[in-house]
Amino acid sequence: MTVPAPLRSRAIRLYKELLFLGRDYPHPQGFPWFRARLKRAFQGKASLTDPVEIEKALAHADYVKREIEALYSLRKYRTMQRRYGSAWDDTLPAALKELHRDP
Amino acid sequence: MSLRVLVGVKRVIDYNVKIAVRGDKSWVETANVKHSVNPFDEIAIEAAVQAKEAKLVGEVIAVSCGPPKAQESLRTALAMGADRAIHVEIPDGSEKTLEPLAVAKLFKKIAQDEKMLAGLLNWPQGTFASKIDLNAGDKSLVVTREIDGGLETIKTALPAVVTADLRLNTPRFATLPNIMKAKKEAHQEVHARRPSASTCRRASRFSRSRSRPSARVVAVSPTSTS
């Protein structure tokens, strides 16, 4: 393998971070499903040697990581807003009210 | 002479979990149930850390009063950017009887031990804060509060107690590298002393103060005695 060490350690770190984030992933089969998919995704790119290609794959992994974080954030605070939202929300425009509506 | 922020953190059942009551109706089911930091506490930590990043505040201290497992919440607070963590340890199981008054007295004691200018906790307060502007120069705080019917803007002197509203900010994630770093950091442990135990008993004789769920405590105060 001619993959330079820094790229490899970044890939490993991203894998670990994604694994950590995936623990709470909302899917009926939960974490095992997430882990299987993560492994498959990384293994699919395991044979890359071109640094440019590797950078692109790492950027994609980073993007996925940020997407998951955004997903968690949105779900949590939407739920909180619905539960603890105030009467003030009635003064919001209709589109925003949709977000805060009690399910 | 710099400002310090004391943030209360609590380990609670995760917001996503469907609460189940125990068979013997004694409490809710907590064994094997996912716990996490109270979302409002996360908002409070985020506000404190943002103030620190803007160089308005010198130190952020996270405090938790609870059983040994509460350390997890403190580690999350450290991973999000708190500088220090204080764990007031109480026996497993007795957190159910911990009353708000006892917790408030605990905070007061910690604030005093930290040699802040507190005196009696006669500090002004800005609750349900959706926006905080800290002016370290003239030691004042402008808080925009969410009240029924709209917003209210108040100006208070420091030290002050501020509680967080949902709209204050969106907390950052405690990322894995930060959590690893936080695990290595030692944090101060304080065992609940007798004053707390007696305040627990005394507090239960008062009518339970209805602490609204959308309030979490962030106490701000200066350190030196100038």
Side-chain angles (χ1 to χ4, degrees):
Chain A
M1 265 292 204
T2 52
V3 178
L7 284 177
R8 167 170 289 162
S9 61
R10 271 173 61 196
I12 293 175
R13 195 183 319 146
L14 267 171
Y15 183 83
K16 285 187 186 162
E17 284 175 14
L18 279 164
L19 206 61
F20 178 74
L21 275 178
R23 289 170 313 162
D24 306 321
Y25 198 79
H27 189 267
Q29 289 155 48
F31 183 52
W33 173 87
F34 184 91
R35 194 176 47 205
R37 282 208 66 178
L38 179 67
K39 211 169 179 199
R40 234 181 298 147
F42 269 71
Q43 272 178 337
K45 308 272 181 179
S47 53
L48 290 178
T49 49
D50 177 21
V52 176
E53 291 286 311
I54 296 178
E55 282 288 346
K56 270 203 279 193
L58 289 176
H60 181 68
D62 194 54
Y63 168 75
V64 170
K65 186 178 88 157
R66 272 178 281 128
E67 284 288 296
I68 297 177
E69 286 179 355
L71 171 74
Y72 289 167
S73 244
L74 187 61
R75 289 174 86 231
K76 184 184 243 178
Y77 293 95
R78 186 185 290 171
T79 310
M80 289 287 116
Q81 191 61 54
R82 283 191 179 143
R83 276 187 212 161
Y84 299 105
S86 61
W88 181 76
D89 294 341
D90 290 339
T91 63
L92 294 177
L96 276 178
K97 234 197 266 186
E98 255 309 292
L99 258 186
H100 299 170
R101 192 174 46 101
D102 252 355
Chain B
M1 141 101 172
S2 65
L3 292 173
R4 291 212 240 159
V5 185
L6 190 68
V7 187
V9 183
K10 185 168 179 180
R11 178 177 178 264
V12 296
I13 295 180
D14 190 76
Y15 81 99
N16 242 342
V17 170
K18 290 219 158 44
I19 311 274
V21 179
R22 282 202 195 139
D24 56 2
K25 308 263 170 65
S26 60
W27 192 244
V28 296
E29 194 57 65
T30 53
N32 289 328
V33 159
K34 180 160 197 274
H35 283 68
S36 50
V37 178
N38 183 331
F40 292 95
D41 294 342
E42 287 179 336
I43 294 177
I45 299 171
E46 175 67 23
V49 172
Q50 279 183 5
K52 188 178 90 154
E53 286 169 351
K55 306 265 196 285
L56 297 165
V57 159
E59 197 184 14
V60 175
I61 305 168
V63 178
S64 191
C65 179
K69 284 200 224 131
Q71 288 185 24
E72 289 168 15
S73 337
L74 288 173
R75 283 209 199 98
T76 306
L78 288 170
M80 280 174 73
D83 299 294
R84 279 202 287 147
I86 299 179
H87 179 202
V88 179
E89 193 166 330
I90 59 180
D92 223 345
S94 69
E95 70 265 17
K96 300 169 198 162
T97 56
L98 196 60
E99 300 279 330
L101 187 60
V103 179
K105 292 193 172 174
L106 219 66
F107 267 73
K108 174 179 156 191
K109 192 93 206 328
I110 292 177
Q112 287 171 335
D113 285 345
E114 294 293 313
K115 298 180 193 82
M116 294 179 187
L117 273 179
L120 281 179
L121 211 58
N122 248 332
W123 298 355
Q125 47 173 332
T127 51
F128 309 110
S130 67
K131 189 165 178 296
I132 304 178
D133 285 311
L134 193 56
N135 191 335
D138 61 358
K139 288 210 281 182
S140 68
L141 196 63
V142 175
V143 175
T144 306
R145 307 178 54 221
E146 298 275 343
I147 57 176
D148 300 331
L151 300 172
E152 178 194 56
T153 308
I154 61 172
K155 182 168 176 179
T156 75
L158 297 173
V161 173
V162 180
T163 64
D165 184 80
L166 271 180
R167 290 179 197 77
L168 183 55
N169 58 49
T170 312
R172 64 196 62 193
F173 269 92
T175 60
L176 189 56
N178 289 340
I179 294 186
M180 295 278 109
K181 259 186 269 171
K183 271 207 187 138
K184 300 203 187 107
E185 255 173 77
H187 52 251
Q188 196 178 335
E189 278 218 6
V190 177
H191 289 267
R193 292 178 289 252
R194 213 173 308 144
S196 308
S198 63
T199 53
C200 272
R201 269 180 271 125
R202 248 191 308 136
S204 60
R205 277 197 238 127
F206 290 90
S207 60
R208 182 186 296 268
S209 62
R210 280 217 273 131
S211 44
R212 287 191 51 173
S214 45
R216 274 296 155 238
V217 178
V218 172
V220 183
S221 61
T223 55
S224 78
T225 53
S226 64

